[in-house]
Amino acid sequence: TEESTTEEAPAEETSSLSGTVSTNGSTSMESVIGILSEQFMADNPDVTVTYDPTGSGTGIEAASSGSADIGLSSRALKDEETAAGLEGTTVALDGIAIIVNAENPVEDLSVEQIAGLFTATADWSEVGGDAGSVAAIGREAGSGTRDGFESITGTEDTCVLSQELTSTGAVIEAVKSNPSAIGYASLSAVEGQEGIKAITVGGVACTEENVQNGSYEIQRPFVMVTNSATELSEPAQAFMDFATSSDADDLIREAGAVPVAE
């Protein structure tokens, strides 16, 4: 009978999806898209998810032209982009912690003060710390975290860095070993680290909750961009649904980002 066949093959266990889902855009979203794609392809063996790390602008253009199923942007869409029929779905948030050495007495800085410390030869005494020149530690050109930090603080192309390092871990270690250092790193990488402290920004701590509720200023959205004029393929829609479901939350944390609040 028909009933017995539906019982034998429950849809949840064997995925009938097949095809390719192409994503294109933000280099900062590489870890998040990577971990989500891996899990989705494990759950749906006949689907291939591809990722082309071209930058947010190119990703938005790819969604607009239809050269990719899903564009990836590490900024919110602009009014003119949504007016042109693009839709942005925030899949995760990127909270960037500002870190100083654990011995540093400074506890709180404004975004303006942080920008000042990174763009000039500054002294800690100017912001309530012990006298001594500030050693600003940053990431290499092309780093997604650097891009996020500089775009949010308005310091693109103006940072004066004493060290430029190629990983989050290296930034944390440099700040640990230098009492006059200041640096930035993804919130998830900083949690539980000894020898450094994440300062509050404008009185607000860098916590998952404060990133989710929008009160912590140094953050940005990770956005999946689609074109409302064209319907997504079945596998692309399924990937979007998975990426924005609560099933993805722990994977997003593992990738160093913050899940969107329910």
Side-chain angles (χ1 to χ4, degrees):
T1 64
E2 282 179 20
E3 284 163 24
S4 64
T5 52
T6 53
E7 279 171 23
E8 278 166 27
E12 292 77 26
E13 284 177 27
T14 49
S15 167
S16 59
L17 288 175
S18 65
T20 302
V21 182
S22 57
T23 73
N24 178 323
S26 169
T27 54
S28 307
M29 289 175 67
E30 180 171 8
S31 299
V32 168
I33 290 298
I35 202 166
L36 293 177
S37 304
E38 208 174 293
Q39 184 61 54
F40 187 76
M41 290 189 283
D43 295 342
N44 302 279
D46 294 331
V47 177
T48 303
V49 182
T50 64
Y51 163 69
D52 192 3
T54 56
S56 296
T58 307
I60 291 166
E61 181 53 43
S64 178
S65 69
S67 63
D69 295 307
I70 298 166
L72 305 171
S73 171
S74 50
R75 64 164 172 80
L77 290 180
K78 296 173 180 170
D79 291 345
E80 59 266 28
E81 290 164 344
T82 53
L86 294 178
E87 291 176 354
T89 304
T90 300
V91 66
L93 301 165
D94 186 26
I96 300 174
I98 305 302
I99 55 173
V100 297
N101 187 278
E103 305 299 311
N104 192 323
V106 172
E107 300 286 345
D108 178 73
L109 293 169
S110 67
V111 173
E112 293 71 29
Q113 285 174 317
I114 292 162
L117 296 181
F118 272 87
T119 54
T121 309
D123 196 283
W124 279 110
S125 59
E126 296 164 32
V127 292
D130 298 332
S133 57
V134 173
I137 316 276
R139 289 288 302 281
E140 79 285 6
S143 150
T145 311
R146 173 170 174 160
D147 169 67
F149 171 80
E150 292 185 356
S151 60
I152 295 160
T153 56
T155 56
E156 296 100 328
D157 305 322
T158 57
C159 283
V160 180
L161 300 175
S162 64
Q163 278 183 282
E164 202 169 296
L165 303 170
T166 57
S167 74
T168 294
V171 171
I172 290 170
E173 289 306 316
V175 176
K176 272 184 193 178
S177 63
N178 184 346
S180 61
I182 186 169
Y184 49 80
S186 289
L187 158 62
S188 61
V190 168
E191 287 172 319
Q193 289 277 356
E194 292 179 4
I196 57 164
K197 64 179 176 183
I199 58 165
T200 56
V201 176
V204 179
C206 184
T207 63
E208 186 171 297
E209 185 186 357
N210 289 340
V211 171
Q212 286 177 334
N213 67 29
S215 61
Y216 181 75
E217 286 181 80
I218 303 184
Q219 64 157 292
R220 58 185 176 158
F222 283 162
V223 180
M224 287 179 148
V225 184
T226 52
N227 189 339
S228 58
T230 46
E231 197 177 338
L232 284 177
S233 68
E234 200 180 351
Q237 185 61 58
F239 182 60
M240 285 272 295
D241 292 344
F242 166 68
T244 53
S245 71
S246 56
D247 292 342
D249 286 359
D250 285 339
L251 294 170
I252 286 166
R253 287 188 188 99
E254 207 178 310
V258 176
V260 181
E262 289 303 300

